[in-house]
Amino acid sequence: MGGMRDIGALLERFGEGKTAAAARLITILEEGGDGAERVMDTIFARTSGAYRIGFTGPPGAGKSTLVYRLAKLFRQKEHEIGIIAVDPTSPFSGGALLGDRIRMQKLSEDPKIFVRSLASRGSLGGISNCTDEVADLLDAFGKDLIIIETVGVGQSELEIAEKSHTVVVILVPESGDGIQAMKAGLMEIGDIFVMNKADHPDAVLAAREIENSLRLKDIPEGNWQPPVLLTSALEETGMEDVIREIENHRRWLEERDLFEEKRRLILRSRVRDAFMDKLERKLWHDSSITRILESRIGEVYDGRLSPYRMVEELERLVTVE
Amino acid sequence: MAKKIRVLVAKPGLDGHDRGAKVVANALRDAGMEVIYTGLHQTPEMIAEAAVQEDVDVVGLSILSGAHLTMFPRIIELLKKQEAEHIKVFGGGIIPAEDVEKLESMGVAKVFGPGTDTRDIIKYLKQEFE
């Protein structure tokens, strides 16, 4: 599987709108390498700027259930939806249990919704390394709304902000007090905050804590002021508010040409990441570099050579005009 | 990135016992596979659609209700309809010995009965799909 000739045939069937071909191409993107590059060369020109919404928040906050409810409502507005749900890969076994679909069962009945579960495969930012590429592919497949759901492990999960136009942070009354909310990270990337499980007796108080800490941030006038919304994904309340605020944020970005600016930033960081990845691989495969490394690492080990002097020597082998 | 075996573990129909499915899902994950579990009460249509979107190598069905002679062929047929006949189907549960041959003639790749050692399932999947 994954041979170059197969890719040609798959791309053709992808163009005809075949789900199986799209799914196969995503697997090739996940595997990376030449095959993935070949797919991207064709796919990228066919993207049409689908709107990307990121959903992040702690495990058990209700992300998948909320995404499920919102996807159903977005469908009523004639959107075609791609959902990328990321779950963690075990660093011990390399395996993963991808369970986000359990909360989205009924979406499998709607052919206009494409749900793909991705394992994080060693990436630490809460998403898979190929999230951008998979989003492009779903965009080229005709989805105009891409929803990305992160792993949900904590405050370091910030990569989603570089991948989406609107970031929705989902919290629950148990997420912690106002001091947690003032910590750096998650609280700084949200365009919309959702306090889910509004049926919980502490929900209103917890939402107020979030509002207070946002107010302390002193967001300059004219900037987007992140709203704090109360929802219950279980009881299906507050969903319309989330949709309305996502639409408000989108309009806000578009009216200020920030939409295009954001896209430029996203693409620039992608080129940089891909370039650095390739460069790194190239350098570690270079025999003159590995030779010096192997022959002199003993001196570093004995304390005769500092790691930084060794780096200097290696650096001399790399010339950039 | 090396090829990972992707497996969809699914419970079709009305039976509500998923202990077996969960035990298998956990064992496969610990063996380094990516396992998608879709929960209880799935229709054949939902299972086939999920299998296609997830581009799994194989679907594992757990059936304890006696509906295996209906469910297995229906899902295999739906996969074919979606041009995804490369996705194989295996299964387990309460399946009488005399039905195993019938299922295999319908295109089911393998049937594992009660008491199967999960290591045998892992060995089988690695042999077929790695």
Side-chain angles (χ1 to χ4, degrees):
Chain A
M1 195 214 78
M4 284 294 178
R5 271 158 312 167
D6 295 339
I7 292 178
L10 282 172
L11 284 167
E12 201 167 301
R13 283 170 59 215
F14 174 82
E16 293 162 7
K18 298 279 197 263
T19 305
R24 212 85 232 264
L25 289 172
I26 293 179
T27 304
I28 293 171
L29 291 178
E30 281 196 277
E31 284 164 12
D34 293 344
E37 283 181 21
R38 162 102 195 271
V39 174
M40 281 311 294
D41 286 343
T42 307
I43 294 297
F44 192 70
R46 298 194 204 165
T47 57
S48 48
Y51 200 78
R52 297 176 186 199
I53 311 169
F55 283 84
T56 189
K63 292 187 292 297
S64 300
T65 310
L66 200 75
V67 164
Y68 162 65
R69 300 269 189 229
L70 294 175
K72 283 184 86 172
L73 287 173
F74 274 125
R75 280 292 295 133
Q76 289 172 13
K77 295 173 178 260
E78 301 302 317
H79 287 292
E80 290 204 18
I81 302 168
I83 299 176
I84 303 171
V86 190
D87 267 332
T89 292
S90 159
F92 304 108
S93 70
L97 190 68
L98 311 171
D100 290 326
R101 283 193 96 100
I102 296 177
R103 318 279 173 221
M104 307 180 190
Q105 286 181 353
K106 288 245 183 305
L107 297 185
S108 299
E109 292 170 344
D110 184 342
K112 301 280 188 196
I113 300 180
F114 190 121
V115 184
R116 180 61 174 246
S117 316
L118 296 180
S120 61
R121 297 197 181 174
S123 161
L124 297 174
I127 49 177
S128 153
N129 282 327
C130 62
T131 304
D132 278 322
E133 287 75 12
V134 176
D136 281 344
L137 187 128
L138 292 172
D139 180 342
F141 199 53
K143 307 299 171 199
D144 65 311
L145 209 61
I146 313 287
I147 296 177
I148 304 165
E149 182 188 329
T150 72
V151 167
V153 284
Q155 294 168 335
S156 60
E157 250 179 49
L158 310 178
E159 270 180 33
I160 189 68
E162 284 179 15
K163 315 288 178 201
S164 4
H165 299 104
T166 300
V167 175
V168 182
V169 173
I170 301 160
L171 299 163
V172 279
E174 300 93 336
S175 296
D177 61 9
I179 298 299
Q180 291 295 341
M182 282 162 67
K183 285 187 185 168
L186 208 52
M187 294 303 297
E188 290 174 298
I189 61 166
D191 299 303
I192 296 163
F193 290 88
V194 170
M195 182 60 66
N196 195 29
K197 308 195 183 178
D199 44 312
H200 189 290
D202 294 337
V204 175
L205 192 66
R208 200 165 301 149
E209 294 258 23
I210 302 294
E211 267 171 359
N212 285 338
S213 71
L214 287 173
R215 206 168 297 148
L216 281 173
K217 269 170 63 181
D218 213 10
I219 300 164
E221 204 153 325
N223 281 24
W224 172 257
Q225 308 282 334
V228 181
L229 308 171
L230 276 165
T231 63
S232 166
L234 192 69
E235 294 176 355
E236 267 191 283
T237 59
M239 297 300 131
E240 298 287 352
D241 298 336
V242 182
I243 301 248
R244 196 191 58 239
E245 287 299 340
I246 290 171
E247 287 170 349
N248 281 344
H249 185 242
R250 179 180 189 161
R251 209 171 309 120
W252 189 89
L253 288 174
E254 282 168 348
E255 281 167 8
R256 286 159 187 79
D257 288 329
L258 292 171
F259 191 82
E260 275 307 305
E261 194 184 310
K262 211 156 183 173
R263 189 173 145 76
R264 266 193 295 274
L265 281 174
I266 291 172
L267 288 175
R268 181 181 284 266
S269 90
R270 278 181 64 177
V271 171
R272 194 191 54 214
D273 289 353
F275 179 56
M276 294 312 283
D277 276 355
K278 211 158 189 179
L279 210 57
E280 192 179 327
R281 250 176 310 181
K282 215 168 170 176
L283 290 176
W284 289 122
H285 281 105
D286 185 277
S287 58
S288 54
I289 289 180
T290 46
R291 203 167 45 235
I292 292 196
L293 197 66
E294 292 309 322
S295 66
R296 305 205 52 192
I297 193 76
E299 294 172 45
V300 178
Y301 187 68
D302 295 340
R304 281 178 285 144
L305 183 68
S306 103
Y308 305 96
R309 292 288 79 76
M310 175 131 190
V311 167
E312 206 171 57
E313 266 180 56
L314 291 172
E315 210 185 330
R316 272 189 223 120
L317 295 172
V318 185
T319 46
V320 180
E321 296 302 324
Chain B
M1 192 73 71
K3 164 96 181 74
K4 289 246 179 199
I5 301 177
R6 280 171 73 88
V7 189
L8 179 80
V9 173
K11 290 278 313 172
L14 293 177
D15 93 67
H17 299 278
D18 64 351
R19 185 78 194 158
K22 282 177 175 162
V23 166
V24 171
N26 265 298
L28 301 186
R29 181 203 60 194
D30 290 344
M33 301 179 201
E34 291 183 355
V35 184
I36 296 121
Y37 180 53
T38 48
L40 295 168
H41 310 314
Q42 302 287 289
T43 65
E45 285 77 7
M46 286 155 94
I47 292 169
E49 184 66 32
V52 171
Q53 290 179 0
E54 298 289 353
D55 189 35
V56 292
D57 299 290
V58 61
V59 178
L61 297 178
S62 160
I63 306 182
L64 311 174
S65 64
H68 46 274
L69 289 175
T70 317
M71 291 296 183
F72 276 102
R74 178 83 183 122
I75 287 165
I76 290 171
E77 180 196 322
L78 287 165
L79 287 172
K80 201 170 279 173
K81 221 163 103 188
Q82 288 237 48
E83 299 179 25
E85 55 271 9
H86 56 276
I87 299 176
K88 300 285 174 260
V89 179
F90 79 105
I94 311 295
I95 293 167
E98 63 263 34
D99 285 349
V100 172
E101 212 169 300
K102 265 188 229 162
L103 287 171
E104 282 171 354
S105 74
M106 291 167 170
V108 177
K110 184 93 180 159
V111 178
F112 292 98
T116 302
D117 190 321
T118 51
R119 282 170 296 191
D120 292 336
I121 305 176
I122 291 162
K123 201 171 134 205
Y124 164 75
L125 292 175
K126 287 202 166 173
Q127 218 163 29
E128 294 293 314
F129 302 104
E130 204 158 58

